[in-house]
Amino acid sequence: MQFLWPQFLWGLLVLPLLVLLYGWLLRRRRQTALRYASLSIVREAMGRGPGWRRHVPPVLLLLAFAAMLLASARPMATVLLPSTQQTIILAMDVSGSMRATDVLPNRLVASQAAAKAFLAELPRHVKVGIVAFAGSAQVVQPVTLSREDLNAAIDKFQMQRATAIGSAIVVALSEIFPGQVDLASVTYGRQNDPFAAQGRAIDQPAAQAEKKPFQPVPPGSYGSAAIILLTDGQRTTGVDTEEATQMAADRGVRVYTVGVGTVDGEVIGFEGWSMRVRLDEETLKSVARETKGEYFYAGTAENLKQVYETLSTRLTVERKETEVSGLLALAAAVLVLLSAGLSLFWFNRVL
């Protein structure tokens, strides 16, 4: 639990002083009672007192005071709410390094199996799209509710050379925001795009020709969609990863990154060539951090399955911080009323 005004918590130091004051008052009361000639006469006159129950109202009053002090510090509690996310884009690495067998039977097969298990756990109302990336990134399955189509697309993955992590993020964003991400401009640069129009057609309305300037939003604030990026290597081509990460952050889309394979890397060979592939954990952590997502490392097939199970929980349950000072103030008021009611009740009994 966090507090917006933690300086008010210093007031809790008064509570032990109040307890000592109450004990001093009780001792003073006993000393006053000893002045009577006979205590038995007093006991007979008062009858059987409330005993330990006489301490209940002061204790309730003390708890009420503590609750008011806590409420004044404005505590923030984390509550779990059903997530509002309706779209998830799986961006999966299909580069040649995914044939490495450090994750059995190999990285690609393990990631395919884990992705299918993840889809089976998601609520049926959540739409999912799939982006496969290697030297380039492409949508292999547009956003859909059909789990059968998604599984079929995962089964058709074909390995290619190179790794374009930034391109995968940009293509995923284009699926989340259709028509709002200029892939040609981002991928090739506006200056190199021969089809980048400097004017507009005669019959095209000015309102369509001139788009409104993009207004960035706080990172992680877009709650309707998220991206899960799975890769086992380093970017070797395509859009710069930092640029793509900034695009996702500016649109409020969280990117959850999953690193597969060994951090130290492994030498793999195929058709006469060999290379060492390493997992760029620092980049994946940076992507997750800048977009308010989360990074997961999966060194084995079982780890990868657990990662996807965790992601399923993260994406279907939303953690939200809310101020609970009002509840504490209400509890304090109830305790005060109980203390006053019990005191009045026992006072009437004595009379």
Side-chain angles (χ1 to χ4, degrees):
M1 180 178 291
Q2 296 180 346
F3 297 89
L4 295 180
W5 296 344
Q7 60 271 21
F8 282 88
L9 294 176
W10 290 104
L12 293 175
L13 297 176
V14 179
L15 298 181
L17 298 178
L18 294 178
V19 173
L20 293 175
L21 177 62
Y22 181 66
W24 177 78
L25 291 175
L26 289 179
R27 286 195 300 271
R28 184 180 180 186
R29 182 181 178 185
R30 293 193 189 98
Q31 292 173 359
T32 304
L34 291 175
R35 298 175 185 174
Y36 288 95
S38 177
L39 290 177
S40 60
I41 299 176
V42 178
R43 292 194 186 98
E44 291 177 2
M46 295 181 58
R48 186 175 180 180
W52 62 268
R53 290 175 295 178
R54 71 178 185 275
H55 302 300
V56 174
V59 170
L60 292 178
L61 198 60
L62 187 69
L63 292 176
F65 188 64
M68 285 189 290
L69 287 173
L70 290 173
S72 64
R74 299 185 63 186
M76 301 289 292
T78 301
V79 296
L80 299 180
L81 300 173
S83 176
T84 58
Q85 287 173 343
Q86 301 295 323
T87 304
I88 295 173
I89 305 297
L90 286 176
M92 302 184 66
D93 192 342
V94 294
S95 59
S97 58
M98 291 292 285
R99 70 178 70 254
T101 58
D102 54 345
V103 178
L104 297 175
N106 64 43
R107 295 175 183 178
L108 181 62
V109 174
S111 64
Q112 287 173 309
K116 290 180 181 179
F118 170 73
L119 293 174
E121 293 293 329
L122 281 180
R124 299 296 297 184
H125 71 274
V126 178
K127 298 179 181 179
V128 181
I130 298 177
V131 173
F133 67 96
S136 62
Q138 54 276 330
V139 178
V140 295
Q141 175 57 59
V143 173
T144 180
L145 289 172
S146 173
R147 301 300 189 248
E148 293 76 16
D149 292 345
L150 293 166
N151 288 330
I154 292 173
D155 288 333
K156 294 178 181 178
F157 283 167
Q158 297 293 326
M159 293 188 188
Q160 304 171 30
R161 293 188 180 184
T163 305
I165 296 176
S167 299
I169 297 175
V170 173
V171 172
L173 290 174
S174 70
E175 274 294 287
I176 297 174
F177 305 103
Q180 299 183 33
V181 178
D182 190 348
L183 290 177
S185 175
V186 175
T187 304
Y188 305 108
R190 177 66 64 179
Q191 67 277 10
N192 297 324
D193 184 6
F195 302 102
Q198 300 299 321
R200 61 182 175 85
I202 297 177
D203 58 346
Q204 183 182 13
Q208 294 182 6
E210 298 178 2
K211 294 183 179 180
K212 294 182 179 180
F214 173 72
Q215 296 293 333
V217 299
S221 60
Y222 188 74
S224 298
I227 298 172
I228 299 177
L229 175 71
L230 182 145
T231 184
D232 70 337
Q234 299 170 306
R235 168 187 172 265
T236 59
T237 187
V239 179
D240 181 70
T241 305
E242 291 185 5
E243 179 184 355
T245 300
Q246 190 60 51
M247 290 180 62
D250 289 343
R251 287 162 177 77
V253 178
R254 298 175 187 264
V255 181
Y256 296 86
T257 56
V258 181
V260 184
T262 56
V263 178
D264 295 333
E266 180 174 309
V267 177
I268 62 172
F270 179 67
E271 295 181 353
W273 59 271
S274 63
M275 64 177 296
R276 175 175 290 276
V277 291
R278 288 185 174 88
L279 176 62
D280 188 1
E281 275 198 308
E282 291 305 315
T283 295
L284 296 182
K285 290 178 181 178
S286 176
V287 171
R289 181 174 59 252
E290 295 299 324
T291 61
K292 303 301 181 182
E294 198 169 348
Y295 168 73
F296 300 90
Y297 171 68
T300 65
E302 186 61 30
N303 290 153
L304 185 57
K305 181 180 178 182
Q306 293 174 357
V307 165
Y308 271 109
E309 290 176 353
T310 303
L311 280 169
S312 178
T313 303
R314 293 280 199 282
L315 296 171
T316 54
V317 177
E318 181 180 359
R319 295 177 179 270
K320 184 178 181 181
E321 286 192 347
T322 182
E323 189 173 343
V324 294
S325 55
L327 294 177
L328 288 174
L330 178 61
V334 172
L335 290 172
V336 169
L337 291 176
L338 285 175
S339 176
L342 289 174
S343 299
L344 183 61
F345 172 74
W346 285 323
F347 179 75
N348 290 332
R349 286 192 61 182
V350 172
L351 294 179

